[in-house]
Amino acid sequence: MMLKMEPSNYERSLAIAEKLLAPLVKRMKLGAASIPLEGPASDHGELADVLESFARPCLLASHWLAAKGGGGETEGFTRDEVANWFREGLVAGTDPSANEYWGPVTNYHQHCVEMGALVIALEIARDHLWTPLSDTDKHQVLRWMRTARGCGFHRNNHLFFGVLPLSFMVSEGAGSPGDQELLLRWMDTLESMYLKDGWFIDGMNETVDIYNAYAWHFYGLWWGKLYGDMDPDRAQRWRDYAVPFLKDYVHFFAASGENVPFGRSMVYRFNASAPFGLAHYCGVSAIDPGLSRAVFMKNVEFFVSRLPEDQPLSLGWTDEFPLMAEVYSCAGSPYWAAKAFSPLLIDPSDPFWTAPAQPLPSEGDDFVRPIPAAGMVVRSVDGDIELHNSESGINPGNTRFGTYKWGKTSYRTGVGLEVESASGEFPRDAALTAESEDGTVYGRHSTHMLKCTADESAMVYVLGHKVAHFSVQVETHVWWKGGWQLQLHRINALQPAKLTVGGHSLPVSTDAHENGAYSTKLQNVCGWETSDTVRHDGADRTHIMSECSEYPIMTCNVNGEATLICLAYCGKGTPGNWNTVSLDESGVVLKADDGSEWEVSFE
């Protein structure tokens, strides 16, 4: 009897991509230039959502079509069928006389983003999607791309969506005089947003987060791979940028494969692992190929194993939860997750696939990794990741995306987080918030780093708003020990304010008040007056992982200066208590139930 061979890592990954395509293929209609997907509309208009429902699935399909290992036709459709549908849709969508016409790009429009996705898809699966087109159809597509020429682009990662179409037109001989000079000038602007050690600030958004992975490094590496002959030195710079970034970024993934939920666009899920395979494909040797593969596969499988196999990707984290999406997202948005599948372009015999598997950093001993360039400290605790952000510069335009995505005291894998309620109130879990006398809750906004070390994260910020003239000045210091944090908040409330500190929120079942794997706890050390528990049930869901959630809070009233100190726990198992041995302006000495001591200097 012959033994059935286990599928290789490559075959498993190819099968996942095909399974993600299957529900899309079932919805493909002959002659259409969109895929009907269920979900809320974005604020970009119907045509943009229609284009997004085509372009992002096309990026997923392009990786499957171009897979170097072949095979992968097990879901009842073939490469020829999928490629034919996307080619015909591309022609219909770019034909101004057709009912399916997507319309032109205009200033600061979402169309440019999806045009960038299509450029990469056409390049990845050129033999399936571009080369078979007639010259007439190619000219039509290029005329449509030309509508991006001269448009306004947001001064952030969106400049890549001007660079990519112009680069494609130039490479196809359809550019205009000055196009190459213009796109390289845009690249200059993008590089001016480089901080150091591989990290970028997202231009006018003023944020530093996981967009570094699936936007900045993803597009920068692809530009160098596809069009680097326009400026070889620049292409090398982008490969060089990726090296220190990936050495930091590999620490953002829990032993489960989950990436820490932090920043906007969390509904893109496993596109968080996008740069690992792509960097290897582009010749960047930042980390061991066996580790790159492990991050990619664990991250994809973490999410895919929790989502229904026969349904399109939904807006959410581990399930469908549209409330966590931004106003710019629609039903097709989650397919930016397709960026993760760059490894399918790597030959199955390459070390990326054949090197011995390496454990993720989070699978080893607990670590602390300060990243001063990004203003973050990332640490692992029992296989989970905790992120402290002490330099979240969030500009006024980003407040509509939810400043809580950068402004909590810390972020954690395993337990998720609370999002802004439908009423727009800043969520109080894992955060310090201030409530004014009229009941408005203010969370952390623009933040300025004081310290970012292996021992301490410290920052200054204001809880308030310009129109209300409400202002609570805060200096926050955080230290850590295992699952515990010691938080010191020096307050100067310029008006009467109610201060609240929240613990991490746990997803809980509807009939129980505890989570089976994790515990969360707050303990007063100095200044807090009352304690309570916040619980959300079903109809008012605000947690990214569960309909029901629960977290502790402590509150106090402040008018003027105050010092507030607390202990916050989140982790596996049941925590004990700490007793204060000594406390003064210079520091605190704490003693645990088990006799261990924790001494922290405030100086």
Side-chain angles (χ1 to χ4, degrees):
M1 184 176 73
M2 293 185 63
L3 295 175
K4 185 177 180 180
M5 298 290 290
E6 288 292 322
S8 67
N9 290 321
Y10 188 96
E11 291 168 336
R12 284 167 54 198
S13 302
L14 184 60
I16 291 172
E18 187 174 357
K19 283 184 178 295
L20 291 171
L21 270 177
L24 300 176
V25 173
K26 291 176 183 177
R27 288 165 170 76
M28 292 175 178
K29 296 180 179 179
L30 186 65
S34 63
I35 298 175
L37 298 170
E38 299 77 29
S42 76
D43 64 350
H44 295 305
E46 182 180 359
L47 280 179
D49 292 0
V50 165
L51 174 55
E52 196 161 314
S53 77
F54 180 92
R56 299 191 185 190
C58 186
L59 185 62
L60 172 62
S62 70
H63 289 88
W64 178 75
L65 290 169
K68 293 297 184 184
E73 295 187 1
T74 60
E75 293 293 322
F77 51 86
T78 67
R79 280 180 169 78
D80 284 345
E81 291 169 338
V82 171
N84 286 340
W85 187 86
F86 277 107
R87 286 200 306 271
E88 291 174 3
L90 181 65
V91 173
T94 57
D95 182 358
S97 66
N99 292 331
E100 297 291 315
Y101 183 50
W102 296 318
V105 178
T106 188
N107 288 330
Y108 307 105
H109 200 262
Q110 183 68 14
H111 270 38
C112 69
V113 178
E114 310 315 317
M115 190 179 285
L118 285 174
V119 166
I120 295 174
L122 293 176
E123 292 282 19
I124 288 173
R126 176 174 281 267
D127 292 343
H128 298 271
L129 299 177
W130 183 250
T131 301
L133 293 178
S134 68
D135 287 344
T136 299
D137 289 340
K138 287 179 180 177
H139 290 151
Q140 176 183 292
V141 174
L142 290 166
R143 280 197 300 273
W144 175 70
M145 287 188 180
R146 187 176 174 79
T147 65
R149 189 172 189 265
C151 285
F153 296 93
H154 296 296
R155 193 182 181 278
N156 54 22
N157 73 87
H158 275 220
L159 283 173
F160 280 113
F161 305 126
V163 167
L164 289 168
L166 283 189
S167 296
F168 186 74
M169 288 189 289
V170 168
S171 70
E172 291 296 316
S176 300
D179 281 357
Q180 182 165 319
E181 290 78 5
L182 174 59
L183 72 89
L184 291 177
R185 194 157 64 248
W186 279 337
M187 290 295 288
D188 287 340
T189 304
L190 287 162
E191 289 185 78
S192 74
M193 301 174 206
Y194 185 65
L195 298 171
K196 61 179 179 179
D197 298 336
W199 289 87
F200 290 82
I201 188 168
D202 197 18
M204 57 184 279
N205 291 333
E206 298 179 17
T207 50
V208 183
D209 57 25
I210 298 180
Y211 258 70
N212 269 261
Y214 53 69
W216 287 89
H217 288 284
F218 183 82
Y219 303 130
L221 287 170
W222 263 123
W223 184 85
K225 180 74 171 178
L226 298 172
Y227 311 115
D229 57 350
M230 294 184 186
D231 189 341
D233 289 342
R234 189 190 304 273
Q236 183 59 50
R237 279 201 301 276
W238 281 91
R239 289 191 290 272
D240 292 342
Y241 293 150
V243 174
F245 172 75
L246 290 173
K247 289 180 177 180
D248 280 337
Y249 186 55
V250 73
H251 295 84
F252 282 60
F253 296 81
S256 65
E258 182 186 16
N259 52 285
V260 62
F262 166 66
R264 64 189 177 99
S265 300
M266 286 184 259
V267 297
Y268 300 160
R269 296 185 176 99
F270 50 88
N271 85 333
S273 56
F276 292 98
L278 178 59
H280 185 90
Y281 180 58
C282 293
V284 177
S285 299
I287 57 178
D288 185 280
L291 177 55
S292 288
R293 181 184 73 245
V295 177
F296 155 66
M297 295 193 68
K298 278 180 168 285
N299 186 234
V300 171
E301 290 176 343
F302 172 86
F303 289 104
V304 170
S305 67
R306 288 161 172 77
L307 300 172
E309 289 188 9
D310 58 345
Q311 297 296 318
L313 293 177
S314 61
L315 293 167
W317 188 248
T318 51
D319 67 343
E320 184 173 2
F321 182 41
L323 187 62
M324 72 179 286
E326 290 78 8
V327 294
Y328 54 75
S329 292
C330 64
S333 297
Y335 283 93
W336 260 159
K339 295 178 181 180
F341 286 102
S342 299
L344 295 181
L345 308 178
I346 301 171
D347 193 280
S349 64
D350 186 274
F352 182 90
W353 296 108
T354 61
Q358 298 294 320
L360 274 60
S362 56
E363 294 181 278
D365 295 337
D366 288 356
F367 65 76
V368 180
R369 189 175 184 92
I371 310 173
M376 300 176 200
V377 176
V378 181
R379 69 187 193 102
S380 70
V381 184
D382 296 330
D384 280 306
I385 298 300
E386 185 173 277
L387 184 152
H388 298 259
N389 179 30
S390 60
E391 184 74 353
S392 56
I394 308 165
N395 81 356
N398 266 4
T399 57
R400 68 192 184 108
F401 300 148
T403 58
Y404 67 89
K405 294 165 186 169
W406 301 271
K408 293 181 186 286
T409 305
S410 59
Y411 297 81
R412 245 181 170 271
T413 59
V415 300
L417 53 89
E418 301 281 334
V419 304
E420 202 168 76
S421 66
S423 67
E425 183 174 300
F426 192 99
R428 294 183 293 173
D429 66 303
L432 180 74
T433 56
E435 183 177 338
S436 62
E437 291 183 313
D438 67 3
T440 303
V441 176
Y442 298 93
R444 211 177 96 192
H445 190 196
S446 187
T447 305
H448 312 282
M449 179 176 68
L450 296 177
K451 289 185 180 181
C452 181
T453 70
D455 301 311
E456 180 183 358
S457 177
M459 67 221 76
V460 292
Y461 52 95
V462 166
L463 303 174
H465 191 267
K466 63 179 183 180
V467 175
H469 280 263
F470 181 77
S471 179
V472 176
Q473 295 176 300
V474 183
E475 179 179 319
T476 290
H477 296 253
V478 184
W479 300 266
W480 39 81
K481 186 180 183 70
W484 288 94
Q485 298 173 11
L486 177 66
Q487 299 179 16
L488 165 66
H489 305 285
R490 294 190 176 108
I491 306 296
N492 183 21
L494 304 184
Q495 299 95 352
K498 179 181 179 181
L499 276 293
T500 299
V501 66
H504 279 279
S505 181
L506 299 184
V508 296
S509 65
T510 56
D511 57 356
H513 283 258
E514 61 275 338
N515 175 280
Y518 293 90
S519 298
T520 184
K521 182 176 182 177
L522 286 176
Q523 184 179 331
N524 180 36
V525 175
C526 173
W528 296 101
E529 298 166 353
T530 65
S531 61
D532 201 353
T533 298
V534 176
R535 183 174 174 87
H536 292 276
D537 292 304
D540 67 340
R541 175 181 177 180
T542 51
H543 196 281
I544 68 171
M545 298 177 78
S546 175
E547 291 187 358
C548 302
S549 57
E550 189 173 273
Y551 61 94
I553 62 170
M554 294 193 301
T555 62
C556 65
N557 292 290
V558 178
N559 187 7
E561 295 185 354
T563 297
L564 308 174
I565 305 174
C566 69
L567 288 155
Y569 178 84
C570 184
K572 297 165 185 172
T574 303
N577 293 295
W578 291 92
N579 298 301
T580 303
V581 176
S582 64
L583 172 64
D584 56 33
E585 292 183 356
S586 65
V588 63
V589 177
L590 303 165
K591 190 170 186 178
D593 291 343
D594 63 6
S596 60
E597 288 195 352
W598 185 8
E599 183 175 355
V600 174
S601 171
F602 298 159
E603 297 178 343

